[in-house]
């Protein structure tokens, strides 16, 4: 216990902290370099053109209210699957470990869902730095909310999606299982998006990364998925 809190060996703790800080800086630089490759190039909008006939609804950031019961969840999943077929889309399955929203964003941004930790870290930074943009949507103490979102395995919500849209200058397009609203667009505030990120949203249960049918990239197989 003492070793965990750094009471036992101050020099070792300082060294560990320094190494962690250095590692975080390297991670930041790596992500910045990856994003810079297409930072100012316009997205090609393939999926956007395919679904241009859909009307999106205004997006209001919100936290997760309640998880649907198993029967509703099953119906919602079936609705989403039917929409995938109708729209000619396919999902890349993300692990069901509580990080699925950040995994799906990482897959769309970096073609690697393993970067979910870094996406979460930067989204949390966005929440901290621009508190005035998001606090009114959070029905709890804001510091507690941000602290909660910092933890791996904590489910992302529509507030973190808005923060991600603002941070990465992205239009986040959700194809959902909602019965009345099949498509939601989340736009960055006060700026034009430079990329599109496409996610499926099995409401309050799971997020996956979206591609055109037949164009889902081959990635390393994951052990745990949300599958019916």
């Amino acid at each position: 216990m003492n070793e965990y809190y750094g009471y036992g060996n101050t020099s070792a703790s300082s060294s560990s902290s320094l190494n962690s800080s250095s590692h975080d800086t390297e991670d930041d630089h790596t992500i910045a370099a990856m994003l810079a490759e297409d930072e100012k190039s316009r997205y090609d909008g393939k999926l956007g053109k395919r679904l241009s006939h859909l009307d999106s609804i205004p997006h209001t950031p919100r936290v997760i209210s309640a998880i649907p019961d198993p029967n509703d969840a099953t119906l919602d999943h079936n609705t989403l699957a039917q929409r995938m077929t109708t729209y000619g889309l396919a999902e890349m399955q993300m692990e069901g470990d509580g990080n699925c929203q950040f995994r799906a964003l990482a897959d769309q941004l970096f073609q690697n869902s393993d970067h979910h930790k870094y996406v979460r870290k930067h989204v949390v930074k966005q929440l901290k730095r621009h508190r005035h943009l998001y606090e009114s949507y959070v029905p709890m103490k804001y510091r507690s909310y941000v602290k909660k979102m910092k933890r791996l395995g904590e489910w992302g919500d529509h507030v973190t999606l808005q923060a991600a849209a603002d941070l990465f200058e992205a239009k986040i397009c959700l194809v959902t299982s909602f019965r009345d609203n099949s498509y939601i667009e989340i736009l960055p505030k006060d700026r034009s998006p430079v990329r599109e990120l496409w996610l499926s949203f099995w409401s309050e249960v799971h997020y996956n990364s979206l591609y055109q049918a037949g164009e889902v990239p081959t990635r390393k197989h994951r052990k745990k998925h949300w599958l019916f």
Side-chain angles (χ1 to χ4, degrees):
M1 180 68 73
N2 285 348
E3 182 179 356
Y4 178 81
Y5 284 101
Y7 299 144
N9 189 327
T10 303
S11 62
S13 175
S14 299
S15 175
S16 175
S17 176
L18 190 61
N19 289 338
S20 176
S21 175
S22 175
H23 183 66
D24 284 349
T25 301
E26 290 177 6
D27 291 341
D28 290 348
H29 289 163
T30 299
I31 287 176
M34 294 171 75
L35 283 175
E37 293 181 5
D38 71 338
E39 181 67 24
K40 296 306 177 185
S41 64
R42 301 298 295 177
Y43 46 77
D44 59 24
K46 283 184 180 179
L47 291 182
K49 292 174 183 176
R50 178 184 288 263
L51 301 184
S52 60
H53 65 288
L54 294 178
D55 292 326
S56 67
I57 64 170
H59 171 251
T60 301
R62 58 182 174 80
V63 299
I64 295 174
S65 54
I67 306 301
D69 67 42
N71 289 333
D72 285 343
T74 299
L75 289 173
D76 286 346
H77 184 269
N78 291 339
T79 298
L80 182 58
Q82 290 170 5
R83 286 176 180 159
M84 294 296 99
T85 300
T86 299
Y87 302 153
L89 302 174
E91 296 172 298
M92 172 172 285
Q93 298 287 338
M94 299 292 109
E95 289 187 52
D97 60 355
N99 301 304
C100 60
Q101 182 190 107
F102 299 100
R103 286 185 181 278
L105 289 170
D107 182 74
Q108 289 281 305
L109 285 164
F110 309 120
Q111 295 74 56
N112 189 338
S113 65
D114 286 341
H115 288 316
H116 67 92
K117 293 179 292 184
Y118 312 131
V119 173
R120 183 187 290 272
K121 181 179 74 171
H122 286 278
V123 166
V124 168
K125 285 183 179 180
Q126 176 76 9
L127 292 170
K128 287 180 178 179
R129 291 171 180 168
H130 302 281
R131 175 173 178 163
H132 65 286
L133 295 177
Y134 313 109
E135 184 174 16
S136 62
Y137 301 110
V138 177
M140 60 187 295
K141 289 185 178 180
Y142 192 73
R143 286 185 180 180
S144 298
Y145 170 77
V146 172
K147 184 177 180 180
K148 181 179 74 165
M149 279 302 164
K150 187 177 180 180
R151 296 196 297 260
L152 288 178
E154 187 64 41
W155 290 15
D157 53 35
H158 284 234
V159 179
T160 54
L161 282 179
Q162 184 64 62
D166 297 339
L167 173 65
F168 295 111
E169 297 181 76
K171 178 168 76 171
I172 299 177
C173 307
L174 294 184
V175 178
T176 82
S177 65
F178 293 133
R179 293 163 199 175
D180 297 326
N181 303 304
S182 62
Y183 178 57
I184 300 173
E185 289 182 354
I186 302 169
L187 297 169
K189 295 180 182 294
D190 303 323
R191 67 186 71 184
S192 298
V194 299
R195 56 177 58 82
E196 284 184 359
L197 309 179
W198 282 82
L199 278 60
S200 65
F201 179 43
W202 175 12
S203 60
E204 314 306 355
V205 178
H206 192 60
Y207 289 87
N208 282 318
S209 181
L210 276 184
Y211 295 87
Q212 293 188 76
E215 295 187 9
V216 178
T218 301
R219 307 260 201 258
K220 184 178 179 181
H221 178 69
R222 298 294 176 190
K223 293 181 179 179
K224 292 190 292 185
H225 298 303
W226 280 98
L227 291 176
F228 261 62

